[in-house]
Amino acid sequence: TLKVKQVPFHAECPLGIGVLLEGDAAFYGADGMYEYYSSRDYRRQDLQWRVYWDGCSWAVQHTRVPPAVIPADTCVDDVATANFMFCMADETYNAHICPQIAAAGYCNNLVAKAVCASTCSEVVTKCLGDNDEAAAALATYWELTGVTDCAGLCARGAHDPAVRSICKSCAPQGRALAEVGAQNLTTNAMFP
């Protein structure tokens, strides 16, 4: 005997209607919560994946959007360094940390604004070169006396990802963490 409880499709659900994809879906990056879009279509919040009814079965589809070409004179977010600053690595690594930093009001902080330069609308000349104001702020957090610019900060901490993100002269090859990879970060809190 099979018993089925039928619930009206649009029944009141305090958290809304959705689909949770787990298990093997994690291998492909498709796991997570999918929100109701229509009776045959559920979409993940990042809009990169959807679960839909194709007429015969449920299917999972990934949206492939070609990466945007960023002009050379445009600020970009240093997501790996932002994660490093907030002690987020491995399972806690957050690819969307800069918008969250902005939402929390950290764009008023010179160091966070320099690292999340695109999201925090940093001045292009500061994000493409040395940002002496952010360097001085970081030196203050670290209690380094007499350090007021990138030259001084590079001399004292050129190995640090935040220093290399703020002071491009410390990292002539570009972003400090590009070659390291986010999964190999060690944590180091910098905000008091």
Side-chain angles (χ1 to χ4, degrees):
T1 303
L2 176 66
K3 294 182 181 181
V4 177
K5 178 180 179 183
Q6 292 186 334
V7 179
F9 181 74
H10 293 289
E12 288 295 319
C13 297
L15 298 177
I17 299 171
V19 172
L20 179 61
L21 211 55
E22 294 179 320
D24 290 340
F27 178 78
Y28 300 101
D31 60 319
M33 190 67 187
Y34 290 70
E35 297 175 357
Y36 175 84
Y37 187 75
S38 73
S39 62
R40 295 176 162 227
D41 194 355
Y42 293 81
R43 298 183 183 184
R44 203 164 68 177
Q45 190 173 19
D46 64 6
L47 301 178
Q48 294 296 311
W49 292 90
R50 74 178 185 140
V51 175
Y52 69 99
W53 180 256
D54 68 7
C56 295
S57 64
W58 287 98
V60 179
Q61 182 181 35
H62 184 245
T63 304
R64 296 242 178 223
V65 177
V69 177
I70 300 171
D73 61 346
T74 302
C75 294
V76 295
D77 292 336
D78 191 345
V79 174
T81 296
N83 275 279
F84 177 82
M85 288 170 30
F86 284 89
C87 302
M88 299 178 81
D90 300 321
E91 298 84 28
T92 62
Y93 185 87
N94 181 353
H96 308 287
I97 192 168
C98 284
Q100 292 176 345
I101 285 172
Y106 283 114
C107 285
N108 293 326
N109 177 291
L110 292 172
V111 175
K113 184 175 183 176
V115 172
C116 293
S118 177
T119 300
C120 293
S121 302
E122 182 60 278
V123 177
V124 173
T125 55
K126 289 183 180 180
C127 72
L128 297 180
D130 285 352
N131 187 332
D132 290 328
E133 290 177 331
L138 184 57
T140 300
Y141 296 143
W142 287 351
E143 299 177 354
L144 299 176
T145 56
V147 176
T148 59
D149 58 14
C150 279
L153 193 58
C154 289
R156 304 278 296 271
H159 65 281
D160 187 86
V163 174
R164 293 175 64 177
S165 182
I166 293 167
C167 302
K168 305 307 184 282
S169 62
C170 291
Q173 70 274 29
R175 296 287 185 205
L177 295 179
E179 71 276 2
V180 174
Q183 66 275 14
N184 295 324
L185 294 177
T186 57
T187 56
N188 180 18
M190 80 167 50
F191 290 118

